Amino acid sequence: MSTLGEDIRPVVTVTLNPAIDQTITVEALRPGHVHRASAVRRNAGGKGVNVASCLADWGTPVVATGLLGSGNAAAFEALFAAKGIADRFVRLPGETRVNVKIADLAAADTTDLNLPGLTADADALDRVRRTLRELVLPGTPVLLAGSLPDGLPADSYATLTADLRAQGARVVLDSSGPPLAAALAAPDLPFCIKPNRHELEAWAGAPLPTTADLLEAARGLHRNGVAVVVVSLGADGALFVADGPALHARLPTVNALSTVGAGDAMVAGLIAAFGADLPLEGIARLSVAFATAKLGCFGPNLPGADAVRALAGQVELSTL
């Protein structure tokens, strides 16, 4: 078994609807009032890009692909060059969308305004599929992450999952709404999914107010064939369901510089743990440590590996 941080297998992340995240920090958000921002940051992002960034910080080789607008690709190209991420994105005419995030320091909360972006078509998706056929070998970890751009059908992730499963890849899916539902209704299921409470409730079509409710929904997905189901609970940590007893993992609350991308950091931790062949306890510890460590950083970044390992050792685990 590998130890934490020794994973050298390349990971492929797929982001079909990336974004440039513009985070504006204010002392207290008051709708209808004029605000003076205390800080503004722009980061190349989107779920898969954020995961790739965190994995690169951890020392994992990463190849990033998906769809990018050629008009404002420079921010992504700079990130990939700085972090040593291999860039295999398909370029489309136009600009990648911009997401405005208003960080409210008083409420320790973030308000998102997601702007429209690229429109894609079947040819664009086929170009991504051809790229993946060149990149993926049996055993390759592949992340499919985020929303879909306008023009792509809801079953696009189901299509990619079927392709990747046929190539022997281990697929991690982090999406929501119709794309998640379509992927979970398909014959070829992803290896792992990581919905949050609201995303799982939307899939279930009913409120899941208690831990027992969330756990039963997650166990149902596991029984249907998803090997690992992780339900993220924000400050309450996450539930982990696989073969054997389920786990609840959490760390004490920390002062957060930014909560943006914490869920993506958790996915990066999951993939790092899978690559190191860790048991469920190790998966829970590392993924929660990634998410918590990211809270102390702006943008899709992690602190040094020693700091992440120290947090992993402090994760509180309970068997459900």
Side-chain angles (χ1 to χ4, degrees):
M1 179 182 297
S2 300
T3 58
L4 299 185
E6 289 183 351
D7 175 29
I8 59 172
R9 283 175 280 180
V11 173
V12 177
T13 67
V14 181
T15 315
L16 297 177
N17 200 23
I20 294 175
D21 293 329
Q22 179 170 297
T23 303
I24 302 170
T25 303
V26 298
E27 291 301 321
L29 180 61
R30 300 173 62 199
H33 289 71
V34 176
H35 298 76
R36 184 178 296 277
S38 59
V40 179
R41 291 174 176 82
R42 289 171 64 88
N43 298 102
K47 282 185 174 296
V49 173
N50 292 343
V51 171
S53 180
C54 290
L55 285 170
D57 287 345
W58 182 247
T60 300
V62 189
V63 181
T65 187
L67 300 173
L68 270 184
S70 57
N72 58 352
F76 294 90
E77 292 163 355
L79 172 69
F80 300 151
K83 296 218 176 190
I85 298 168
D87 176 8
R88 293 297 304 273
F89 267 90
V90 172
R91 267 55 169 187
L92 298 179
E95 293 192 345
T96 301
R97 66 194 174 123
V98 175
N99 289 343
V100 179
K101 300 175 181 295
I102 304 174
D104 182 343
L105 295 179
D109 201 359
T110 302
T111 299
D112 289 4
L113 302 173
N114 293 343
L115 306 184
L118 296 171
T119 297
D121 58 16
D123 178 67
L125 185 63
D126 284 342
R127 291 173 66 187
V128 174
R129 294 172 74 181
R130 290 196 296 271
T131 300
L132 288 171
R133 282 195 288 271
E134 296 172 5
L135 294 174
V136 174
L137 298 172
T140 300
V142 180
L143 170 70
L144 306 176
S147 60
L148 297 174
D150 289 342
L152 291 189
D155 66 354
S156 294
Y157 283 140
T159 298
L160 291 179
T161 299
D163 286 354
L164 292 164
R165 287 281 303 273
Q167 293 173 255
R170 178 179 283 188
V171 179
V172 178
L173 174 63
D174 185 18
S175 190
S176 60
L180 174 62
L184 294 178
D188 295 297
L189 295 173
F191 173 79
C192 174
I193 62 171
K194 190 216 66 71
N196 60 32
R197 177 192 294 272
H198 301 301
E199 291 164 350
L200 190 60
E201 288 177 331
W203 170 81
L208 302 170
T210 69
T211 299
D213 295 326
L214 294 168
L215 193 58
E216 181 53 35
R219 282 178 168 152
L221 287 165
H222 175 63
R223 287 192 296 267
N224 287 343
V226 181
V228 181
V229 181
V230 179
V231 184
S232 57
L233 304 174
D236 289 329
L239 304 178
F240 295 80
V241 175
D243 292 337
L247 298 175
H248 178 216
R250 66 180 301 275
L251 272 168
T253 303
V254 300
N255 292 326
L257 289 178
S258 173
T259 60
V260 176
D264 302 332
M266 177 173 283
V267 174
L270 288 169
I271 293 171
F274 293 150
D277 294 324
L278 299 183
L280 189 62
E281 177 180 333
I283 293 168
R285 287 188 179 279
L286 191 59
S287 58
V288 170
F290 265 55
T292 304
K294 185 265 157 285
L295 296 176
C297 303
F298 286 110
N301 304 299
L302 289 182
D306 288 344
V308 178
R309 291 190 187 96
L311 286 170
Q314 299 168 29
V315 171
E316 300 170 356
L317 290 177
S318 56
T319 301
L320 303 177

